Amino acid sequence: MAADLPPTLSIQLVEEPRLLKLKKMFISKFQSTPKFYARAPGRVNLIGEHIDYCGYAVLPMAIEQDILIAAEPLNTPAIHLANTNPLYSDFTTNANNIQINQTEPLWHNYFLCGVKGIEVELAELCSKSERYIGTEGGGMDQSICFLAEKGTAKLIQFNPLRATDVRLPEGVAFLIANSCVEMNKAATSHFNIRVMECRLAAKLLAKSRGLDWKAMAKLQEVQVKLKLSLEEMLAVVEEVLHPAPYSIEEIGKNLGISSKELRTQILSQNTQDVTTFKLYQRAKHVYSEAARVLEFKKICTEAPEDAVQLLGDLMNQSHASCKDLYECSCPELNQLVDICLQFGAIGSRLTGAGWGGCTVSMVPVEKLESFLAHVKEAYYKNNNQRLALGGNSLFATNPGGGATIFLES
Ligand code: GLA
């Protein structure tokens, strides 16, 4: 990924009101002028949820909305951080002694993770960096942030990391709607439990087929070793795993190791106390979602007449699988998806980790205006907490460009 470092753009700050405001705040806070600015876009995952860390391709796009940073390198090892949002307090630390307290999800920890991450190889710098916060995510967010290009979504494949353009159909818009439910995946174990369930399912499937299960941690690795299609892997799941939750003892017995060995050698720190794991449901989601991603890409490429309907169906199936098999939805997200479908979306689903956060909906452009008005009315209007987030909660977006560094010219 070294060749894909963010581009550097020379810009006139007067034409960039947000950067200008940032510059003023920087000067008033640090009595010094920023030497450069950086931009990183947000992202929305169109399809392929919770499968990147299992080794499977995903299909996100960067959005036009972004975060901006103004920075000045210092000659001392001190790091001073400030946020334009007064809710997040200033923070100062010594770069030679970075401590990241994983039990407290403080905003500046993400910055410190980046600094700490520079110590590891550049190729996987950003996705590895995120793990210092305590979550065992895949590389989707960081990959699309660096590899995005304006006007196209991307199929992101892993090992080795590569991105292929996916031209979205004409005549539809992608709408992001915030459920206004917050789930901090670094402060809870929801996310990592799922990663561990996938890891354990991979090991059990590998063991059942006589593979070296100790060397395997991802469901995709098992598929590659067995040289089977995703459909065939679904049949293997049906044959090998049972729908009832597995106890830690049962998994240990199956692998021929003690519960203690299983905990210390396989599980993450924040899943040590988990006692049951749903392996069948999680593996079924991963293999079927991985197949949906490839189907989504194929439809975009071949562009049949009913492409929009077919893509919508895939998005809806993806949401159902996230809700029922992966159990990473929540009542508010399900309600929001139902509302979006009711008011004109052809496909709607939770996007990202889930348990809160946003939905992404595909809406015909001619229905956009009435869609926005109805969703506002049905989901946001009578709820003060949701209203407080104002215009930022519901918006349409196009595929945006990737991370950039700005130098004032
Ligand atoms: C989070 C992680 C990603 C990915 C998604 C779920 O956003 O950071 O790597 O696993 O959840 O698809």
Side-chain angles (χ1 to χ4, degrees):
M1 227 170 80
D4 300 305
L5 284 176
T8 306
L9 264 189
S10 276
I11 44 144
Q12 298 283 353
L13 274 199
V14 272
E15 285 160 23
E16 305 286 341
R18 285 174 64 221
L19 284 175
L20 205 55
K21 188 172 154 211
L22 192 59
K23 178 180 179 179
K24 285 189 184 144
M25 288 189 70
F26 189 100
I27 294 172
S28 82
K29 175 98 3 226
F30 299 117
Q31 288 77 52
S32 180
T33 313
K35 294 298 170 293
F36 67 90
Y37 303 83
R39 152 185 201 268
R43 66 97 183 98
V44 60
N45 190 17
L46 298 177
I47 195 155
E49 222 60 88
H50 287 283
I51 58 174
D52 55 353
Y53 52 77
C54 297
Y56 283 108
V58 291
L59 210 154
M61 66 187 197
I63 60 172
E64 293 153 319
Q65 286 71 14
D66 53 21
I67 58 167
L68 297 172
I69 291 177
E72 182 191 21
L74 298 178
N75 292 326
T76 66
I79 297 176
H80 302 286
L81 300 173
N83 196 308
T84 53
N85 185 335
L87 278 181
Y88 302 107
S89 15
D90 293 0
F91 179 79
T92 293
T93 190
N94 183 329
N96 295 331
N97 183 26
I98 290 179
Q99 304 287 338
I100 301 173
N101 177 355
Q102 293 185 346
T103 56
E104 231 183 323
L106 298 166
W107 75 276
H108 58 252
N109 277 351
Y110 282 91
F111 187 90
L112 299 182
C113 289
V115 179
K116 206 170 156 96
I118 288 167
E119 290 158 12
V120 305
E121 241 186 306
L122 192 63
E124 293 207 316
L125 173 67
C126 290
S127 47
K128 276 188 186 158
S129 298
E130 195 192 23
R131 299 203 187 122
Y132 289 114
I133 209 78
T135 49
E136 300 274 338
M140 170 171 63
D141 306 353
Q142 299 81 1
S143 312
I144 189 64
C145 183
F146 281 115
L147 304 179
E149 284 175 272
K150 204 174 163 64
T152 177
K154 296 274 183 180
L155 177 79
I156 303 281
Q157 290 164 286
F158 302 97
N159 298 322
L161 181 62
R162 57 214 188 275
T164 315
D165 286 3
V166 177
R167 300 278 168 196
L168 300 172
E170 306 269 303
V172 287
F174 287 88
L175 270 294
I176 318 275
N178 190 346
S179 69
C180 303
V181 175
E182 273 186 33
M183 158 59 75
N184 190 314
K185 62 184 163 69
T188 61
S189 55
H190 294 66
F191 190 87
N192 278 4
I193 292 175
R194 292 295 175 277
V195 183
M196 296 308 131
E197 287 173 317
C198 291
R199 189 177 286 175
L200 293 170
K203 288 186 184 297
L204 256 58
L205 292 176
K207 176 99 194 306
S208 80
R209 289 295 186 264
L211 301 176
D212 176 9
W213 63 267
K214 283 198 175 149
M216 251 164 259
K218 292 181 183 169
L219 286 163
Q220 184 252 9
E221 292 166 352
V222 183
Q223 186 204 352
V224 169
K225 272 272 172 329
L226 292 179
K227 298 195 176 66
L228 295 178
S229 68
L230 288 164
E231 288 67 28
E232 288 166 331
M233 282 314 297
L234 282 166
V236 175
V237 170
E238 292 292 341
E239 189 193 311
V240 175
L241 301 175
H242 57 68
Y246 284 74
S247 69
I248 199 144
E249 291 74 21
E250 183 182 0
I251 300 170
K253 209 166 142 207
N254 205 305
L255 297 176
I257 55 172
S258 70
S259 303
K260 189 163 170 231
E261 283 169 322
L262 195 157
R263 284 202 184 90
T264 53
Q265 289 165 23
I266 305 179
L267 298 186
S268 70
Q269 230 184 357
N270 68 346
T271 54
Q272 293 291 313
D273 298 333
V274 182
T275 51
T276 57
F277 300 87
K278 291 192 184 173
L279 306 188
Y280 166 89
Q281 293 83 343
R282 312 314 183 213
K284 219 172 148 178
H285 165 78
V286 169
Y287 288 128
S288 60
E289 183 77 351
R292 279 187 288 274
V293 170
L294 299 182
E295 187 61 21
F296 194 97
K297 155 92 176 24
K298 186 165 168 257
I299 295 166
C300 289
T301 308
E302 292 174 358
E305 233 166 63
D306 54 351
V308 168
Q309 190 57 53
L310 295 174
L311 296 177
D313 292 347
L314 287 172
M315 291 174 76
N316 295 334
Q317 287 162 20
S318 169
H319 184 75
S321 182
C322 284
K323 171 170 162 266
D324 301 327
L325 291 176
Y326 217 71
E327 297 178 278
C328 62
S329 191
C330 67
E332 293 84 352
L333 278 171
N334 297 336
Q335 187 200 355
L336 192 50
V337 160
D338 289 345
I339 289 173
C340 292
L341 290 173
Q342 187 188 344
F343 294 114
I346 297 176
S348 185
R349 54 181 301 277
L350 68 83
T351 182
W355 295 285
C358 294
T359 60
V360 56
S361 304
M362 188 176 60
V363 182
V365 269
E366 68 274 11
K367 290 195 181 157
L368 198 57
E369 221 173 291
S370 82
F371 175 88
L372 286 170
H374 281 114
V375 174
K376 230 177 244 173
E377 173 82 25
Y379 192 76
Y380 297 97
K381 202 172 162 205
N382 297 318
N383 183 305
N384 287 338
Q385 183 236 340
R386 293 177 190 168
L387 267 183
L389 288 168
N392 295 333
S393 299
L394 180 65
F395 58 91
T397 187
N398 291 308
T404 316
I405 288 170
F406 301 123
L407 296 175
E408 190 173 2
S409 53

